[in-house]
Amino acid sequence: LEEQALSDQWDFKAPQNNVTTSPSTSRAATQIPIFVCPSDQFQQKVFQITGGASAFGSATTSGAVPGYYSVCSYAGNYGIGSYFVHNSQFAVVPNGIYFVTGPDASLNFTPAYPSGLVANHQNLSPVRTVIDGTSNTIMAGEKYHADDFFDTWNSNNSGLKMYQVSAWGWSGGMKGAAHVFCSSLPPINFQTIDLGTTLNNFAAQDRRFNAFGSGHPGGACFVYADGSAQFISDSVDPATFTSLSTRDGGETNNSTN
């Protein structure tokens, strides 16, 4: 991205060192224009995350190291998983991946997973492991940050407004991954108001964190593992969308309608 000077300064061994409580010294607050889609909406393009330390060391309860960050309109593909462990429907396996073992009854939502496929988040791995085909597998996509309904009730949860869940230089743990990953668990352009006003809880929050979306009418743009870019309609069949988000599910479905 021709950001060699920033790359040379970046601390890859201790990423938390890239975040400070001053916008002038926080490398994570550097604005990178190519990371911002003109259709996306941010109340601020440099924002502060505050709060005390949580059980995740230097990360706050919102999952990020306190300090200043700059925004990003794009997110990596997290597969068909979620960020949270909710009730007995989620189990943690030895390698730390969360597996969904059933629908989330509290949200009256049954994920449209292909038959026989268990939902999980994708491990980050080389392109050679994309055995479904690089032209059939999403690598990254757009994330939309305007959600007035989310912003009105979320103070009871992470405390962040939607535009603040967008730090390209995120550093932290657990739900901090929401800044840089989305998944096919919710539909494209999902908004929290779709769940109704009674679902003011962490599960509803995380459903929104997971959602790909954009300010473009009718869908969002995605980059596939072969480097191509495609627009996917938000009316895409949920089973098709989930198959596009997995790299080794055995599907060859590349329909984006």
Side-chain angles (χ1 to χ4, degrees):
L1 299 178
E2 300 182 359
E3 294 287 345
Q4 189 63 49
L6 179 61
S7 178
D8 290 343
Q9 298 174 44
W10 199 260
D11 190 337
F12 290 96
K13 293 183 178 179
Q16 68 273 15
N17 293 337
N18 300 305
V19 185
T20 73
T21 55
S22 168
S24 62
T25 61
S26 182
R27 291 186 285 271
T30 305
Q31 295 187 63
I32 301 179
I34 199 172
F35 281 174
V36 181
C37 175
S39 78
D40 205 353
Q41 296 185 33
F42 299 100
Q43 295 175 36
Q44 296 175 304
K45 290 188 177 179
V46 174
F47 61 90
Q48 184 180 20
I49 292 179
T50 61
S54 72
F56 297 91
S58 60
T60 68
T61 53
S62 63
V65 173
Y68 280 88
Y69 296 85
S70 185
V71 298
C72 183
S73 300
Y74 306 97
N77 172 24
Y78 200 71
I80 54 178
S82 184
Y83 307 115
F84 62 93
V85 180
H86 186 65
N87 296 336
S88 61
Q89 295 155 12
F90 293 79
V92 181
V93 295
N95 61 1
I97 298 175
Y98 299 132
F99 279 83
V100 183
T101 58
D104 188 336
S106 71
L107 297 184
N108 299 313
F109 178 82
T110 302
Y113 307 133
S115 177
L117 183 63
V118 178
N120 67 89
H121 94 239
Q122 302 283 71
N123 286 318
L124 301 180
S125 53
V127 172
R128 67 173 179 271
T129 66
V130 184
I131 61 175
D132 286 346
T134 55
S135 62
N136 299 327
T137 305
I138 292 169
M139 182 170 64
E142 291 186 273
K143 181 178 180 180
Y144 191 50
H145 294 89
D147 191 330
D148 292 339
F149 185 80
F150 178 95
D151 291 346
T152 61
W153 60 249
N154 197 43
S155 61
N156 293 328
N157 296 308
S158 73
L160 299 182
K161 295 185 182 297
M162 195 60 217
Y163 80 90
Q164 295 173 309
V165 189
S166 60
W168 72 261
W170 153 75
S171 181
M174 196 186 177
K175 293 185 181 182
H179 291 270
V180 291
F181 289 108
C182 288
S183 82
S184 62
L185 183 64
I188 297 171
N189 283 327
F190 168 80
Q191 296 272 301
T192 44
I193 196 170
D194 298 333
L195 295 175
T197 58
T198 61
L199 293 171
N200 180 0
N201 57 39
F202 282 109
Q205 166 195 267
D206 294 343
R207 187 60 42 77
R208 179 63 177 91
F209 283 176
N210 277 267
F212 284 110
S214 79
H216 311 302
C221 296
F222 292 82
V223 175
Y224 285 67
D226 65 355
S228 65
Q230 294 189 40
F231 184 84
I232 300 181
S233 169
D234 53 21
S235 63
V236 65
D237 179 76
T240 298
F241 188 43
T242 57
S243 70
L244 290 170
S245 75
T246 61
R247 66 168 184 272
D248 56 3
E251 319 94 354
T252 57
N253 192 334
N254 62 2
S255 171
T256 57
N257 295 318

